[in-house]
Amino acid sequence: AVARQAPNGVIHLLASMTSPCLHYEFNEEWILRGDEQVATADDAMLRRNTASQVRDVREFVERDAEGRVRLRYSGGIADDGRFVLQGPCHWLLPNGRPQREAEYRLGVLTGRETFHDGSGTLAWTRDHRDNGTTEFVTYWPAGAVRTRSMWRELHGEGTAVLLSPDEREQMRVELERGRVKSITGTPGEY
């Protein structure tokens, strides 16, 4: 684990021995006095976004060792004191082509998020919807849909399908809060 305090006073703690790696944010006051409400909070309460507006939004640019732009994003200080992403974010490949593109509102992903592999081929998309669901789609190298699934609160929800490169359905899984309810078909060679 490693911890570092940012200029705005927020302490960032990264734990890399977990899978996935975890990132915690807190301030000195929370450490020194504790917080009864947080100590008894459930996962939903801890994940809730308390920001309602962002001030001082500005664009940031990160460059690689050769000076090429590798990341361009916007963010500002939310009314709950956190730095949050606000607006478009663009991650670029060394050749300047898009690798990942996403939009944030009050630090939360919104709309369509895309990811391209090292050659620039579309690898996956996530459509973040206002109702709290996310449709996750992966693609075959030629561009056809490979998988399609729905997610809510980090759990698979509804129907997930696996398609062959010629877009024939190979497998269908029905999920409820991440639990498998039924499976039809087999993945076969895919």
Side-chain angles (χ1 to χ4, degrees):
V2 63
R4 181 80 190 245
Q5 189 167 20
N8 67 357
V10 175
I11 298 169
H12 298 268
L13 172 65
L14 302 175
S16 62
M17 301 259 321
T18 59
S19 181
C21 297
L22 298 175
H23 173 207
Y24 303 93
E25 295 179 357
F26 48 90
N27 60 31
E28 287 182 39
E29 182 181 352
W30 181 82
I31 293 172
L32 296 174
R33 75 171 173 85
D35 191 328
E36 294 297 322
Q37 185 179 14
V38 171
T40 60
D42 63 7
D43 286 347
M45 182 180 172
L46 292 172
R47 283 196 305 264
R48 190 173 327 146
N49 186 351
T50 59
S52 62
Q53 58 183 314
V54 182
R55 64 179 164 79
D56 303 326
V57 175
R58 63 186 185 113
E59 184 178 87
F60 298 88
V61 175
E62 294 184 15
R63 298 180 183 276
D64 65 15
E66 285 78 41
R68 297 174 296 211
V69 175
R70 55 171 239 161
L71 174 58
R72 185 181 305 271
Y73 61 97
S74 298
I77 304 300
D79 55 353
D80 62 6
R82 298 176 300 131
F83 175 86
V84 295
L85 295 173
Q86 178 77 8
C89 292
H90 302 278
W91 291 256
L92 303 172
L93 295 165
N95 63 10
R97 295 174 69 183
Q99 179 180 42
R100 181 172 169 242
E101 296 178 301
E103 179 87 19
Y104 288 83
R105 187 179 332 122
L106 299 171
V108 177
L109 282 161
T110 183
R112 177 165 273 206
E113 174 186 12
T114 61
F115 181 83
H116 297 82
D117 66 19
S119 70
T121 301
L122 181 62
W124 56 258
T125 59
R126 287 188 223 167
D127 285 311
H128 304 279
R129 300 179 176 160
D130 290 338
N131 67 2
T133 62
T134 298
E135 181 183 41
F136 181 50
V137 179
T138 63
Y139 299 88
W140 291 102
V145 172
R146 181 171 190 234
T147 63
R148 182 182 311 272
S149 56
M150 292 298 293
W151 296 80
R152 181 184 295 279
E153 296 178 2
L154 305 177
H155 297 286
E157 189 70 41
T159 303
V161 295
L162 169 65
L163 304 170
S164 64
D166 62 358
E167 300 190 38
R168 286 182 293 125
E169 187 174 299
Q170 300 297 305
M171 186 172 178
R172 175 178 291 261
V173 179
E174 296 296 331
L175 300 157
E176 185 178 306
R177 191 129 177 91
R179 297 188 195 284
V180 175
K181 295 298 181 184
S182 67
I183 298 175
T184 56
T186 63
E189 62 187 277
Y190 307 108

